[in-house]
Amino acid sequence: MHAFFEATNHYFEHAASILGLSENMKVLLATPERELRVEVAIEMDSGQIGNFIGYRVQHDNARGPFKGGLRYHPTVDEDEARSLASLMTWKTAVVDLPYGGGKGGVNCDVTKLSRAELERITRRFVQQIHDFIGPDKDIPAPDVGTDAQVMAWIMNEYGKYHGHQPAVVTGKPVELHGSLGRESATGHGVAIIAREFLQHTWNRPVEGTTVAVQGFGNVGSFTSRELYDMGAKIVAVSDAYGGVCNPEGLDIPSLQQHVAAHRKVVGFSGGDSCTNEHLLGMEVDVLIPAALGGVFDAELAEEVQARAIIEAANSPTWPEADEVFHRREIPVVPDIVANAGGVIVSYFEWVQNLQHFRWSIDQIRAEQDRRHVESFAAVFDLARRQGVSLRTAAFVLGIQRVGRAKVLAGI
């Protein structure tokens, strides 16, 4: 069994050793500041009592309030929350946002819950953690299994205890103090990072680049559509039910319509059926894992035929697989660089809420793209100067910024 937090700390330790951090500083930076584990008990539609467990791990707030998503999924546990909270600390630092890192969620299966049950779980969870979140404490956001509606319920329930404060959570509906561009932010960011990677690494445009995308949820679908609009050839996509491929390129707008109607990519007439395993081993220029974490182990890493990997998902690569990719000279753009678009636009939403002023979509897109371009360039340049991987460079940059904030503030 792999442990996500252990894997994240493996990357942290490697970067910390390059920086020459003392053992005391490494422990200080790696240890979560607070961990919450709460019972979320509700009455189910059947009249039975449903008992769920909720988590919120607050990893570091040296640079600002804790920030990170809430995940509703059967895999949610302390280990996953610790890992993802830690990654948020380094991610917000890499893209230079005034945040720390947090993460959490509820261990439940949203596919087996009614809308009313989902709302009751959300409100009960907020009742358990409301004293520990807030616009200047910890700001949750959507993640796997949650969406703008869930964020609206959180804002409303939090307001019952603390008054109307939209900035307590991001990813809200636009009609309820949300931000334009938030829903597509992560996928848009992955596409921009892909463009920057291709230009910096191979000096080639997106147009004509072959891409395979594992996962066609919010992140994968928006990533596919943006790259398609840039001229990339999306030759395969997959979801939890299977995949579809076409060596001539899939018609992504038509595929999106198919998924909207059927809730899955399987059965799309514009390509042949394929498995997730086939997709991950295809010969493409860029492979984008955009589903859950823990996709690549050492064995699968040996089978990958893509020229590069861009991590749209959180923690898709185990350390032993990362070593295989490094040995095989397959560059990997890490999650804390590639999928930061969501937290970037969440920051814009938070700022808009605090200002009581709405930005235009053009302003949001311009500022988001600038941050992606600058953060990738900083990581790429550091990797070249130090002769390390993009992942190591990203961790070095993030740890430097968080560590500096810790030292300046004092204990």
Side-chain angles (χ1 to χ4, degrees), residues 149-229:
Q149 176 61 76
V150 173
M151 299 305 110
W153 290 329
I154 292 173
M155 185 193 76
N156 178 264
E157 191 67 23
Y158 180 85
K160 294 176 183 178
Y161 297 92
H162 303 278
H164 182 64
Q165 298 192 52
V168 66
V169 67
T170 58
K172 303 178 294 293
V174 174
E175 301 87 349
L176 203 63
H177 311 288
S179 175
L180 299 170
R182 175 60 185 86
E183 184 181 10
S184 62
T186 304
H188 175 76
V190 174
I192 296 300
I193 291 296
R195 183 194 71 192
E196 294 302 299
F197 169 81
L198 291 168
Q199 178 61 42
H200 281 73
T201 308
W202 298 330
N203 193 29
R204 63 172 292 177
V206 173
E207 187 174 2
T209 300
T210 56
V211 180
V213 181
Q214 185 213 24
F216 205 68
N218 175 275
V219 177
S221 61
F222 278 112
T223 298
S224 299
R225 179 58 185 265
E226 296 251 356
L227 288 174
Y228 174 88
D229 289 343

Side-chain angles (χ1 to χ4, degrees), residues 286-348:
V286 176
L287 173 60
I288 301 178
L292 293 173
V295 174
F296 298 112
D297 57 18
E299 182 179 357
L300 181 56
E302 294 284 3
E303 303 298 321
V304 168
Q305 298 302 312
R307 295 182 62 198
I309 295 169
I310 297 178
E311 295 182 339
N314 288 316
S315 302
T317 306
W318 294 112
E320 59 267 30
D322 204 52
E323 294 174 6
V324 172
F325 291 141
H326 185 68
R327 171 174 55 79
R328 297 183 61 203
E329 298 184 344
I330 298 175
V332 179
V333 182
D335 46 6
I336 61 174
V337 175
N339 68 16
V343 72
I344 289 173
V345 179
S346 280
Y347 168 61
F348 300 159

